[in-house]
Amino acid sequence: MEILKKNYKEWKIYYLDEQKNLLDLGKKLADEEKIEEVQVFKESQRNYVSKIKFNNKYYVLKSPRNEYRIPQRRAGTLFKEGEALATLKNITKLRNRGLTELVAPLLVVVRRTKGMIKESYIVFEYAEGKDGTENIPEMIKLGLKMHELGVYHGDFNPSNFIWTKDGMKIIDTQGKKAWTPFKQRYDFITLDHDNIDDFESYAEHKKDFWYYLAVFTKKYKRLGFVSNIKKWKKKKRDKGWKI
């Protein structure tokens, strides 16, 4: 799959070469035309995620609002592609390498002013099914497959794995490169502590330095004073500051 680009007014539309039919959807988003919204999954100052219908087919629409809402992050986009485009490129590359269980991003629409991202959207294929708790071993298997390709999930919990009639699908990841094994170990530490009582019966950890660092980090984040700091930071972020 190849990613193509089209300039449209003050927007740039990125799409897969096999998804030219979605160009009209990209133009509708750019023109702020009404799109049939079926269900809102998340609506916050940080993100907007919904199920939409276009040409009798369902998709998932996401707008990473923090990227252009928080001044410091918006300024950072002068030197970055932005979350939407980076996700499109990362996931497309991983799918081309055989990780087809990743739900495919199909379209990205980005508008910049003075070089900084002003607004952006990313459209994914829609996966229907139950969350990963329906098949934890398969979820573990896909997590390890991501790690073998040198990337990590970033929010490794059952709600981000969908058990469909065609098998398990992976959602809500940017497919970022793991420069060290820490993020990969942290993926499984998150699952271990939050969701499964007997994790060792599902997968083996490489109990190296990175594993124990991930365990320490997870426990540290659960300390009372750290939780209070996180709440304070969240309030500041909601007011438009990157803390």
Side-chain angles (χ1 to χ4, degrees), residues 8 27-35:
Y8 179 72
K27 292 176 181 178
K28 282 180 176 289
L29 289 168
D31 291 335
E32 298 184 349
E33 292 186 23
K34 185 174 177 59
I35 296 170

Side-chain angles (χ1 to χ4, degrees), residues 93-136:
K93 185 183 295 185
L94 289 168
R95 285 175 58 84
N96 285 339
R97 293 175 65 190
L99 192 57
T100 54
E101 294 88 353
L102 284 163
V103 166
L106 308 172
L107 175 80
V108 165
V109 186
V110 181
R111 176 164 65 101
R112 290 178 179 263
T113 56
K114 298 180 180 179
M116 297 178 287
I117 291 179
K118 178 68 174 178
E119 197 169 3
S120 66
Y121 299 96
I122 182 168
V123 176
F124 295 89
E125 65 178 340
Y126 173 67
E128 185 172 8
K130 299 181 179 180
D131 69 27
T133 53
E134 294 294 312
N135 195 329
I136 291 293

Side-chain angles (χ1 to χ4, degrees), residues 186 189 211-222:
Y186 198 84
I189 291 298
Y211 168 81
Y212 290 108
L213 180 60
V215 171
F216 171 80
T217 302
K218 186 67 176 180
K219 290 182 177 180
Y220 175 77
K221 286 184 175 181
R222 292 192 168 194

Side-chain angles (χ1 to χ4, degrees), residues 26-222:
K27 292 176 181 178
K28 282 180 176 289
L29 289 168
D31 291 335
E32 298 184 349
E33 292 186 23
K34 185 174 177 59
I35 296 170
E36 184 176 352
E37 188 176 71
V38 179
Q39 181 182 359
V40 176
F41 295 128
K42 182 185 296 184
E43 185 168 13
S44 66
Q45 291 184 317
R46 181 180 179 184
N47 283 311
Y48 173 79
V49 186
S50 68
K51 177 183 177 182
I52 63 172
K53 189 175 183 181
F54 178 73
N55 287 346
N56 296 315
K57 192 170 181 180
Y58 295 116
Y59 300 94
V60 172
L61 173 68
K62 178 179 180 180
S63 176
R65 292 171 171 173
N66 260 5
E67 188 168 56
Y68 48 84
R69 185 180 66 86
I70 297 176
Q72 296 95 323
R73 288 195 60 179
R74 185 169 65 247
T77 62
L78 278 168
F79 315 101
K80 297 179 181 180
E81 295 176 322
E83 180 180 325
L85 182 55
T87 299
L88 176 65
K89 289 184 175 181
N90 291 347
I91 301 302
T92 299
K93 185 183 295 185
L94 289 168
R95 285 175 58 84
N96 285 339
R97 293 175 65 190
L99 192 57
T100 54
E101 294 88 353
L102 284 163
V103 166
L106 308 172
L107 175 80
V108 165
V109 186
V110 181
R111 176 164 65 101
R112 290 178 179 263
T113 56
K114 298 180 180 179
M116 297 178 287
I117 291 179
K118 178 68 174 178
E119 197 169 3
S120 66
Y121 299 96
I122 182 168
V123 176
F124 295 89
E125 65 178 340
Y126 173 67
E128 185 172 8
K130 299 181 179 180
D131 69 27
T133 53
E134 294 294 312
N135 195 329
I136 291 293
E138 184 65 18
M139 177 182 164
I140 298 295
K141 179 180 176 181
L142 291 184
L144 291 171
K145 189 173 180 180
M146 289 187 73
H147 295 175
E148 288 169 2
L149 291 174
V151 299
Y152 65 98
H153 189 284
D155 191 7
F156 198 78
N157 67 74
S159 65
N160 288 327
F161 290 77
I162 306 297
W163 184 243
T164 75
K165 61 182 179 60
D166 299 317
M168 189 77 80
K169 299 290 184 181
I170 309 169
I171 64 171
D172 202 20
T173 178
Q174 296 181 46
K176 288 183 177 180
K177 183 174 180 179
W179 296 100
T180 72
F182 172 76
K183 293 287 189 179
Q184 296 174 331
R185 302 290 189 271
Y186 198 84
D187 270 352
F188 284 126
I189 291 298
T190 298
L191 184 65
D192 184 3
H193 285 72
D194 291 347
N195 305 106
I196 298 177
D197 293 330
D198 186 13
F199 180 76
E200 296 296 342
S201 66
Y202 289 102
E204 292 183 2
H205 273 134
K206 293 181 178 179
K207 294 191 174 180
D208 53 12
F209 166 79
W210 302 106
Y211 168 81
Y212 290 108
L213 180 60
V215 171
F216 171 80
T217 302
K218 186 67 176 180
K219 290 182 177 180
Y220 175 77
K221 286 184 175 181
R222 292 192 168 194

